[in-house]
Amino acid sequence: MKQLYPFDPLLRHHFIISLLLAVWIFIFLYFTEPLDVNEFNTNEKLIFLPGYGLLGGICYLVFLPFQYYLYKRTENKWTLINEIIFLVSFAVISIVVARLYYLYVIMIGERNPYTLGYMLKTIYLPALVTILPIIIIGRFAFGKYHEKRLEDQKIEIQGEGNYEGLRLQLNDLICIQSSDNYIEVYYLSGHRLKKTLIRNKLSAIDNEFPELLRTHRSYLVNPFHFRRWKTENGKLIICLNYDIEVPVSKTYQKDIKEAIQFTTN
């Protein structure tokens, strides 16, 4: 089993990381003065050095689509391998971009620029050792914060007695069907539809979670997954995501139509 790693998919938090990265790169270069930086006057430092920081922040943002591609490939789960791949790829591209900036902006018109090997040894790799921890800490902290928020938002469908329950996000729950002394819970795990049998009564779940709608004496549905209405042999059916169809008895038709209209508007 692949080891999961804290991950925050929210774009605004990654913008914050890119901003912190840009500021930190500028501060690092301004005060450590690697290579020819100590030969710049104050104005030149303020002209050229922010460019390195800006490029670092932009490189991070440009790599976000690649990050989300990896995220979807692992069914919306972020692994340690994904994190390593992202960081290594980002580091390599950042070095290439920084090298191009040095050759075609900093040293344009100048002869004998430093070689790539020399710059790797004296500035790029030492800079990465200083800069990467900022990225790692920021991503890890936001990932943990996101996981905590998700955990706090979860609901728990408990089983009677010693029977195990189910803890999940409300929007991952699609519907619940009564089955004798049990209930069958249809829910999402990543992008996969799953079903879990729990010893409990549908009436108890109905009372505990008013967000769910009663469509039938044997069914509760989550209006978040509503797709459309359907009539078959004179009977009303509510169609949910993942091609799940649930009958609607005449007793609940008026109430559920009003509730669906209210929640989907």
Side-chain angles (χ1 to χ4, degrees):
M1 182 177 179
K2 295 181 179 179
Q3 183 177 352
L4 297 180
Y5 191 85
F7 176 71
D8 185 359
L10 297 180
L11 189 60
R12 65 177 180 271
H13 290 163
H14 290 288
F15 270 102
I16 294 174
I17 293 174
S18 70
L19 179 61
L20 292 175
L21 176 62
V23 172
W24 180 246
I25 290 174
F26 169 73
I27 292 174
F28 172 79
L29 295 176
Y30 189 89
F31 288 103
T32 59
E33 298 186 336
L35 300 179
D36 294 335
V37 171
N38 58 357
E39 298 179 6
F40 292 165
N41 59 43
T42 301
N43 289 335
E44 288 175 327
K45 286 183 180 180
L46 295 178
I47 292 173
F48 293 119
L49 298 188
Y52 279 111
L54 183 62
L55 287 174
I58 291 175
C59 281
Y60 183 82
L61 293 178
V62 167
F63 254 83
L64 292 184
F66 176 63
Q67 168 181 270
Y68 293 124
Y69 167 74
L70 292 176
Y71 186 57
K72 289 182 179 179
R73 281 200 62 183
T74 50
E75 299 180 346
N76 291 357
K77 293 179 181 178
W78 193 251
T79 67
L80 180 60
I81 296 298
N82 286 349
E83 184 73 5
I84 293 173
I85 291 173
F86 175 83
L87 292 174
V88 171
S89 302
F90 164 75
V92 171
I93 295 301
S94 296
I95 289 175
V96 172
V97 171
R99 175 66 176 175
L100 294 175
Y101 181 73
Y102 170 75
L103 291 176
Y104 298 107
V105 177
I106 304 294
M107 295 298 293
I108 188 168
E110 299 288 338
R111 295 182 177 181
N112 301 320
Y114 291 107
T115 64
L116 176 59
Y118 182 73
M119 292 192 74
L120 278 173
K121 180 179 179 181
T122 57
I123 179 169
Y124 294 148
L125 294 181
L128 282 175
V129 171
T130 305
I131 293 168
L132 278 181
I134 301 298
I135 302 176
I136 294 171
I137 292 171
R139 289 171 61 84
F140 185 85
F142 276 125
K144 280 293 186 182
Y145 173 72
H146 182 70
E147 286 183 352
K148 185 179 184 305
R149 285 191 60 192
L150 290 180
E151 190 64 30
D152 292 341
Q153 294 170 1
K154 285 184 177 181
I155 62 172
E156 185 172 6
I157 301 175
Q158 297 180 337
E160 293 181 343
N162 295 326
Y163 288 86
E164 293 184 359
L166 180 65
R167 188 172 174 83
L168 74 169
Q169 295 289 321
L170 177 62
N171 287 345
D172 287 339
L173 174 62
I174 299 179
C175 68
I176 302 176
Q177 179 181 2
S178 175
S179 179
D180 295 328
N181 293 324
Y182 293 83
I183 55 172
E184 291 180 310
V185 183
Y186 294 80
Y187 64 100
L188 300 179
S189 178
H191 292 294
R192 293 184 180 179
L193 177 65
K194 289 191 174 183
K195 181 174 70 173
T196 294
L197 194 66
I198 298 175
R199 185 180 179 89
N200 206 331
K201 296 178 181 179
L202 195 67
S203 57
I205 304 300
D206 190 11
N207 293 331
E208 187 174 358
F209 302 108
E211 303 93 340
L212 304 178
L213 303 179
R214 191 72 171 257
T215 66
H216 188 276
R217 60 187 177 87
S218 300
Y219 287 93
L220 287 171
V221 303
N222 184 351
F224 177 79
H225 291 280
F226 171 79
R227 291 182 59 192
R228 60 187 175 87
W229 298 106
K230 175 182 176 181
T231 302
E232 191 173 274
N233 297 326
K235 296 181 179 180
L236 184 65
I237 295 173
I238 184 171
C239 301
L240 306 174
N241 289 328
Y242 290 82
D243 299 322
I244 296 177
E245 297 183 351
V246 175
V248 181
S249 63
K250 293 182 179 180
T251 306
Y252 300 103
Q253 283 186 14
K254 181 180 178 181
D255 291 339
I256 193 172
K257 282 185 176 180
E258 291 178 352
I260 289 290
Q261 184 176 7
F262 176 76
T263 55
T264 54
N265 286 340

